[in-house]
């Protein structure tokens, strides 16, 4: 659970067993980094990671990441997957309310607070990171395609210029071409 400590005139909240923390960092002059690391430690220790539903959520995220990476060349699958992932993030608040009402049926403790911190951390953040991976893959694919199109366009322009030069030279008698090449030397 969370422990409330008074320090330097401000309330401090941290999670877990107080013996797990450097109390000098908590009660003494503190940096934002030390407060952050203490809160992360507490958060990680407060979760029972062996619960089957948490393992299932982790496996789901892993499968979605694998699907995002393996289908990077299939735009339709990528867009469908992206919409499903972003829809899941959008529905996280409703899922949090539903899970808070029914937590006893699948969890050993109620992780689902009214602010949705747990749901945001363990559900939405991994999904958003997968979405960012997909976005970077799409940007890379788009830039590669743009480069290919521009190269083809330049080749086509170059070949049409060459053909135009060849057509002009074909209309000039060979004697004139030889004379022009001698003059240019």
């Amino acid at each position: 659970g969370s422990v409330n400590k008074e320090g330097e005139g401000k309330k401090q909240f941290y999670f877990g067993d107080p013996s797990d923390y450097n109390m000098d960092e908590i009660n003494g002059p503190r940096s934002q980094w030390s407060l952050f690391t203490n809160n992360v430690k507490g958060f990680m220790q407060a979760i029972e990671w062996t619960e089957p539903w948490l393992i299932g959520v982790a496996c789901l995220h892993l499968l979605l990441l694998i699907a995002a990476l393996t289908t990077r060349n299939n735009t339709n699958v990528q867009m469908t997957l992206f919409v499903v992932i972003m829809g899941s993030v959008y529905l996280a608040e409703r899922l949090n309310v539903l899970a808070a009402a029914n937590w006893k049926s699948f969890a050993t403790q109620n992780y689902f607070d009214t602010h949705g911190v747990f749901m945001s951390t363990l559900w939405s953040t991994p999904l958003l990171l997968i979405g960012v991976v997909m976005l970077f893959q799409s940007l890379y694919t788009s830039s590669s395609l743009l480069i290919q199109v521009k190269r083809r366009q330049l080749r086509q322009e170059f070949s049409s210029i060459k053909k135009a030069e060849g057509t002009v030279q074909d209309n000039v008698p060979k004697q004139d071409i030889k004379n022009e090449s001698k003059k240019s030397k």
Side-chain angles (χ1 to χ4, degrees), residues 165-174 176-177:
E165 287 175 358
T167 307
V168 170
Q169 288 181 356
D170 288 343
N171 293 335
V172 177
K174 288 185 181 183
D176 290 343
I177 294 174

Side-chain angles (χ1 to χ4, degrees), residues 96-109:
N96 188 56
V97 170
L98 183 66
N102 300 304
W103 69 270
K104 290 180 182 178
S105 64
F106 62 90
T108 57
Q109 58 182 318

Side-chain angles (χ1 to χ4, degrees), residues 31-83:
S31 68
Q32 293 298 318
W33 179 250
S34 66
L35 288 174
F36 173 75
T37 57
N38 282 337
N39 284 333
V40 169
K41 278 184 204 174
F43 184 82
M44 299 300 283
Q45 290 173 353
I47 297 171
E48 180 61 43
W49 293 102
T50 58
E51 290 194 44
W53 72 275
L54 280 173
I55 294 170
V57 168
C59 288
L60 174 69
H61 288 140
L62 185 62
L63 286 174
L64 286 172
L65 179 62
I66 290 169
L69 294 174
T70 57
T71 62
R72 67 181 173 270
N73 295 325
N74 190 335
T75 307
N76 292 333
V77 173
Q78 283 278 293
M79 289 304 113
T80 303
L81 190 59
F82 188 78
V83 167

